[in-house]
Structures are given as structure tokens and as C-alpha cells.
């Protein structure tokens, strides 16, 4: 499996698990969980610096170093194209010109469902401005194709609502998106446990991005390790090609040579 | 003169540079990005960029998120 790499925007990665850094107890747990996940691409949020408070508070980018990980700044919390574009521009300045971003423009607070009208508007502006856009989207195959055609480097449909842990709610739509895709399709959001991650990979997704499934587990570091294995198992299972389902039994032991 | 830093009012001297502002907040050398009136001010321009009264300054960094 050495040569089975995930390629995003021309860069290759060994791990097909991308992880977020939110909701952890502290920086130590963040670092340990990310280490255990084996992830090479790690998402961060961009927020106001605390001024005058906790001057010695450890900086996330000291714990999750850009020298070791590909940092993927997100636009979480943005409800308009304008705010998302601004956030990406600040992230690029923060990360010394690094231009890979996770674009998400949200529709409402209750569902955090993506607002695809503003997502498309923001993607257009960002791509024109030289950003490499990994885009969070609804699981609509027509929209997913449109985002690919615009030049997004990866299309990331939700499996379920952000932070819901509901798993792959509509595998049929994910399959339709995969059928037409020429850029990596990643499941982003909705994974709750390791089997969900394996199912996403068995469907043929190139990778899975998750945060809450690890951070909200009782033992986040152990769950990070479980997710790493599930992603690897799911990928190998996809490449191996599953057996066809049958309505009736088919004996695994031969009939010939029975003595009874 | 009055400016607004991350949404809060702050008094600074006339012809204060962006770099002097960061120095006054002990933020020099920290990982951050600076935006003034919704325009990015790149690190290379912090020393020369002069802040004007009423400017809206945003100083951001990376935090945990998914």
C-alpha cells in the first residue's frame, strides 16, 4: 500500500484521515490525538487573538507545527461569502502565503448546513485570488460537479450534520458524487465512529475529515487510533473489491470428501 | 487618538505604526495576521503602515477548529 497516496493540489499524503483541532480538553490532548490519528492534514480556525489575557497561553501552531503538518485553515463560523473570503485572506497572511484552505459557508446555526449559494460565490473569488480550495458541500451531485468544474482542488460532501455523529446518512448520494468525480472526494462531517469512517472509504472516498468523532469520544486518543485503522481498513477493502451480495448461502467448506 | 482593536476601543499616539501597535501589546514575534479596515497589512509592511484615528484593527491567530 506504499504507493497508494492521497494527492491534493499536487501534494501527496500517506494518510487519508484529516482531522480538526477543536473541542479538545487542552493542548496536550490535541497533540496526542492528532499524533495517534496519523493525520498529515490538520484543520484550524482563525479567530481574534486574546489581547492582554493569557499572554503565555500556548499557541496552537506551536503544538501543531506547520513544519510537521499541512495546516488547513477553515472558514467555520462564516455565514456569508464575504466573511469566508476575508478569513481565507487572513489565514494566508498568518501562514506565510500558504494557500490551501477549507471553505465552508454555513446556512444556519441549528443545522450548520452549508449555504451553497454563498459557498459558490466565495469559491469563485478565492480561486481567482490563487487559493487552493477544498470545499465543504451538501451531498448534491450536481453542486459537487459544479464545484469541481470551477476549480476546487477537493470536494467534501457532508455525511451528516457537523458534529452530529449520525454517520453516512445518504450513501446513495455520495456514490453519485463519486461516479462523476475527477478531483478527490472527501467525507467532511457526520462521522461518529470507526465503522462510519470505514464505510466512507469503502464507498470510494479518497479521504475523510473529522473532528468531533475523535474529540468527543470518551478516550479521544484511543478513538484517533481507531479511526486511523478504520480509514486504512476501509481503503484496502475498497481497493480489494468486495464480494457480491447473494440472497442464499454458499458453503465455504467443500461437499466432496464428506464421510457422513 | 482612538482606534478599535479586535472590537475594543484603544488609545494610541498620533502617527503610530502597525508595528508600534503590536509592540505596545507585546505581540511582536507571535504568529498572527493583521487586518486594518478589512484590508490585510502584510508583515513586511507593519513598520511603515501608519494607523489613523478610527481605524478598525483585527489581529487574529489560529485556534482549534474542525
Amino acid at each position: 500500500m506504499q504507493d497508494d497516496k492521497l494527492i491534493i493540489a499536487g501534494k501527496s499524503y500517506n494518510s487519508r484521515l484529516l482531522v480538526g483541532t477543536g473541542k479538545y480538553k487542552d493542548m496536550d490532548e490535541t497533540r496526542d490525538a492528532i499524533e495517534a490519528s496519523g493525520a498529515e492534514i490538520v484543520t484550524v480556525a482563525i479567530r481574534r487573538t486574546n489581547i492582554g489575557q493569557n499572554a503565555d497561553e500556548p499557541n496552537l501552531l506551536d503544538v501543531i507545527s506547520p513544519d510537521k503538518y499541512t495546516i488547513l485553515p477553515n472558514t467555520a463560523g462564516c455565514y456569508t461569502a464575504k466573511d469566508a473570503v476575508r478569513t481565507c485572506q487572513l489565514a494566508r497572511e498568518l501562514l506565510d502565503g500558504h494557500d490551501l484552505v477549507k471553505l465552508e459557508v454555513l446556512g444556519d446555526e441549528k443545522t450548520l448546513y452549508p449555504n451553497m449559494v454563498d459557498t459558490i460565490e466565495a469559491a469563485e473569488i478565492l480561486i481567482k485570488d490563487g487559493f487552493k480550495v477544498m470545499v465543504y458541500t451538501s451531498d448534491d451531485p450536481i453542486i459537487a460537479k459544479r464545484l469541481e468544474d470551477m476549480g476546487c482542488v477537493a470536494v467534501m460532501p457532508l455525511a451528516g450534520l457537523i458534529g452530529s455523529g449520525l454517520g453516512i446518512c445518504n450513501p446513495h448520494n455520495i456514490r453519485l458524487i463519486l461516479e462523476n468525480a475527477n478531483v478527490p472526494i472527501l467525507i467532511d462531517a457526520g462521522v461518529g465512529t470507526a465503522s462510519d469512517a470505514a464505510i466512507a472509504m469503502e464507498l470510494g472516498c479518497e479521504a475523510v475529515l473529522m473532528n468531533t468523532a475523535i474529540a468527543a469520544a470518551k478516550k479521544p486518543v484511543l478513538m484517533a487510533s481507531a479511526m486511523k485503522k478504520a480509514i486504512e481498513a476501509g481503503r484496502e477493502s475498497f481497493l480489494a473489491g468486495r464480494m457480491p451480495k447473494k440472497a442464499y448461502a454458499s458453503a465455504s467448506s467443500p461437499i466432496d470428501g464428506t464421510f457422513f | 487618538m482612538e482606534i478599535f482593536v479586535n472590537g475594543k476601543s484603544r488609545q494610541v499616539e498620533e502617527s503610530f505604526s502597525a508595528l508600534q501597535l503590536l509592540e505596545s501589546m507585546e505581540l511582536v514575534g507571535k504568529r498572527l495576521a493583521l487586518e486594518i479596515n478589512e484590508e490585510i497589512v502584510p508583515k513586511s509592511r507593519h513598520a511603515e503602515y501608519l494607523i489613523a484615528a478610527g481605524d478598525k484593527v483585527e489581529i487574529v491567530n489560529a485556534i482549534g477548529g474542525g
Side-chain angles (χ1 to χ4, degrees):
Chain A
M1 297 296 291
Q2 279 299 314
D3 52 354
D4 179 42
K5 308 274 192 198
L6 168 66
I7 297 171
I8 293 176
K11 195 172 166 191
S12 78
Y13 302 90
N14 292 311
S15 171
R16 292 177 178 273
L17 174 57
L18 288 70
V19 295
T21 51
K23 299 182 180 170
Y24 286 101
K25 189 178 68 188
D26 53 32
M27 287 285 183
D28 285 343
E29 190 182 73
T30 309
R31 186 195 52 234
D32 293 348
I34 283 150
E35 186 72 41
S37 76
E40 295 166 285
I41 303 176
V42 177
T43 66
V44 301
I46 305 298
R47 291 291 180 271
R48 281 174 166 167
T49 299
N50 267 338
I51 291 166
Q53 310 161 26
N54 312 326
D56 297 326
E57 193 179 294
N59 186 311
L60 179 65
L61 294 181
D62 295 332
V63 176
I64 307 298
S65 165
D67 298 332
K68 186 171 172 189
Y69 297 99
T70 294
I71 304 296
L72 182 62
N74 69 25
T75 62
C78 293
Y79 286 84
T80 63
K82 185 186 167 217
D83 287 348
V85 169
R86 235 177 118 189
T87 302
C88 290
Q89 287 168 340
L90 278 164
R92 182 165 62 181
E93 166 66 11
L94 177 70
L95 296 166
D96 304 315
H98 172 76
D99 52 15
L100 186 70
V101 292
K102 172 184 160 179
L103 172 64
E104 56 179 302
V105 185
L106 305 173
D108 74 35
E109 286 177 24
K110 192 172 177 184
T111 64
L112 300 179
Y113 207 79
N115 167 346
M116 294 317 301
V117 176
D118 274 44
T119 299
I120 287 172
E121 186 186 333
E124 253 166 8
I125 296 167
L126 290 168
I127 291 164
K128 226 176 257 173
D129 194 13
F131 284 95
K132 299 183 181 89
V133 178
M134 299 177 69
V135 61
Y136 175 59
T137 177
S138 57
D139 61 1
D140 177 332
I142 306 301
I143 294 283
K145 191 65 187 169
R146 168 88 180 270
L147 292 165
E148 174 188 314
D149 291 344
M150 286 172 64
C152 292
V153 299
V155 175
M156 308 197 292
L158 52 80
L161 299 181
I162 293 174
S164 70
L166 285 172
I168 319 283
C169 295
N170 193 343
H172 309 289
N173 270 30
I174 301 299
R175 230 178 249 125
L176 290 175
I177 291 171
L178 286 163
E179 264 176 26
N180 289 316
N182 295 304
V183 294
I185 303 296
L186 285 73
I187 287 293
D188 181 1
V191 166
T193 189
S195 52
D196 297 335
I199 289 168
M201 296 308 294
E202 284 176 345
L203 284 169
C205 293
E206 287 281 334
V208 176
L209 198 167
M210 66 178 75
N211 189 152
T212 311
I214 298 174
K218 281 183 189 150
K219 296 179 180 173
V221 179
L222 188 57
M223 186 57 91
S225 164
M227 289 298 185
K228 178 187 181 185
K229 290 168 185 161
I231 293 283
E232 287 171 1
R235 178 64 181 174
E236 289 188 12
S237 173
F238 169 72
L239 293 176
R242 62 154 297 147
M243 62 161 282
K245 289 183 183 178
K246 296 171 196 161
Y248 297 101
S250 160
S252 298
S253 306
I255 303 297
D256 283 356
T258 47
F259 51 88
F260 36 76
Chain B
M1 61 182 181
E2 183 184 35
I3 62 168
F4 298 90
V5 180
N6 288 0
K8 285 187 185 142
S9 167
R10 190 178 183 94
Q11 290 294 326
V12 297
E13 290 164 35
E14 298 285 330
S15 68
F16 222 44
S17 73
L19 181 62
Q20 283 172 308
L21 175 67
L22 294 175
E23 280 168 355
S24 72
M25 292 185 294
E26 298 179 2
L27 288 173
V28 174
K30 304 238 173 184
R31 280 186 196 274
L32 55 83
L34 183 66
E35 187 197 73
I36 299 181
N37 302 330
E38 299 193 12
E39 293 286 334
I40 302 284
V41 180
K43 286 178 194 78
S44 58
R45 292 191 57 219
H46 285 182
E48 68 188 48
Y49 190 101
L50 295 184
I51 292 167
D55 275 356
K56 290 186 172 64
V57 179
E58 292 291 342
I59 302 169
V60 303
N61 62 0
I63 65 153

